[in-house]
Structure formats: structure tokens, C-alpha cells
Amino acid sequence: MTPTQRIVKWNEERGLLEQGYNAERETAFILEELYEVLGFKGDAKGYARDKAEEILKEKQIKWISKIEKGLCYYKTLKRQDPTDQDILDGYADLIVFATGAMAKKLHEMGSLLTPDDILNRVMDTKDLKGSKVDEKGKIIKSDDFEQPKLV
């Protein structure tokens, strides 16, 4: 079974597929992992959920693209409902970029492990989590949960 097949099966066995797609929930899960990659500790889950909710309420994003001669030049992105194509392409790209990032980090470390090895180790640990879900639809780790040994 490939790592991606294991991930789908893991979600299916815990009833997560039946929850359906929820942009706020899925975005929060991804943001939480991004904060972890960036080294943030503590209640990253709570912050990620709040941030995802805030982002999805925005109708547009405006930021200063450059400041020149005391003038601020703004760029604006307007939010539109993504199509199914947009959503699936975005998640596929996340997997592609995440796999590439893992391969680069493993290469830099001189490791003989592959991204598949890492995904399988993560899934081995996730298999131990059980299937208790919080109010937002995320599997709850037990108090004795240990992160997978990846290095």
C-alpha cells in the first residue's frame, strides 16, 4: 500500500471522510502544520483555527507591494469561491511541494530515508492515535502520544 493509500484508509477508518470537506477545518489543519514547520510551539492548533476562520471571512487581501518616494503601492487580491478544480489542484501542489521539501531536507542530512519512509513512519504513529475526534473534526492525541522518530 502506498503512503497516500494509507492516508486515505486512515481517514476512512476514523469516519473522517464522512465529515465531508470543510474549507475552514482543512485550512486550519494545514496552517497548524505550517506553524510547526516554522518552529512555533504551544497552541498552534488554536491559533491556526482562528487564523483560518479570519482568512475565510476576508473578501480581499491588501498589502503594500512597494514603497517609493514616500508613496505606498498596494496590491489587492479579491477572494472568490474556489472551484473543485482549484481546490484539488491546490492540495495536489501541496503534496508535490511537501514531498520535494522532504527530499531536499533528507538529501541535505545525508539520510538514506525517502519521503515514502517518512510518510510511512508518520502513518505508523497516526495508527496509534485512535479515533476520538474533537468538536472541529480533528483526531485527538492521547496524553502519552509520542511524535514519530523521523531522524
Side-chain angles (χ1 to χ4, degrees):
M1 182 180 307
T2 69
T4 53
Q5 289 169 328
R6 281 187 75 186
I7 293 166
V8 172
K9 183 179 178 192
W10 187 86
N11 277 270
E12 184 178 11
E13 289 172 347
R14 284 154 182 81
L16 301 176
L17 297 181
E18 284 74 33
Q19 291 181 2
Y21 177 77
N22 175 292
E24 181 180 326
R25 179 181 60 224
E26 306 306 332
T27 303
F29 294 165
I30 291 169
L31 286 174
E32 179 183 349
E33 298 306 323
L34 289 173
Y35 294 135
E36 185 178 309
V37 167
L38 293 171
F40 289 96
K41 304 291 182 200
D43 189 16
K45 176 172 63 175
Y47 182 78
R49 287 180 177 174
D50 290 347
K51 198 64 172 169
E53 184 178 353
E54 177 186 319
I55 290 168
L56 289 169
K57 286 181 180 175
E58 292 290 330
K59 297 296 180 209
Q60 68 179 18
I61 300 171
K62 193 172 192 177
W63 75 96
I64 297 174
S65 64
K66 68 178 181 175
I67 300 175
E68 196 173 273
K69 298 179 184 174
L71 297 174
C72 297
Y73 294 89
Y74 290 92
K75 287 189 177 177
T76 303
L77 292 176
K78 293 188 188 260
R79 187 172 185 283
Q80 299 174 7
D81 289 334
T83 65
D84 292 343
Q85 171 70 31
D86 295 332
I87 292 167
L88 294 172
D89 180 66
Y91 286 123
D93 285 342
L94 285 172
I95 293 168
V96 169
F97 286 115
T99 301
M102 284 190 287
K104 291 169 191 170
K105 188 62 183 170
L106 290 165
H107 177 77
E108 175 185 279
M109 295 165 50
S111 177
L112 298 177
L113 296 173
T114 67
D116 279 344
D117 295 327
I118 299 299
L119 287 171
N120 277 317
R121 287 181 182 191
V122 167
M123 289 309 301
D124 289 344
T125 303
K126 286 194 176 300
D127 286 341
L128 302 174
K129 276 187 177 182
S131 53
K132 188 175 179 186
V133 180
D134 70 11
E135 75 283 351
K136 292 286 188 172
K138 183 171 182 174
I139 298 292
I140 300 170
K141 298 174 188 172
S142 64
D143 292 337
D144 60 348
F145 177 79
E146 291 186 28
Q147 293 292 335
K149 303 295 183 221
L150 303 178
V151 293

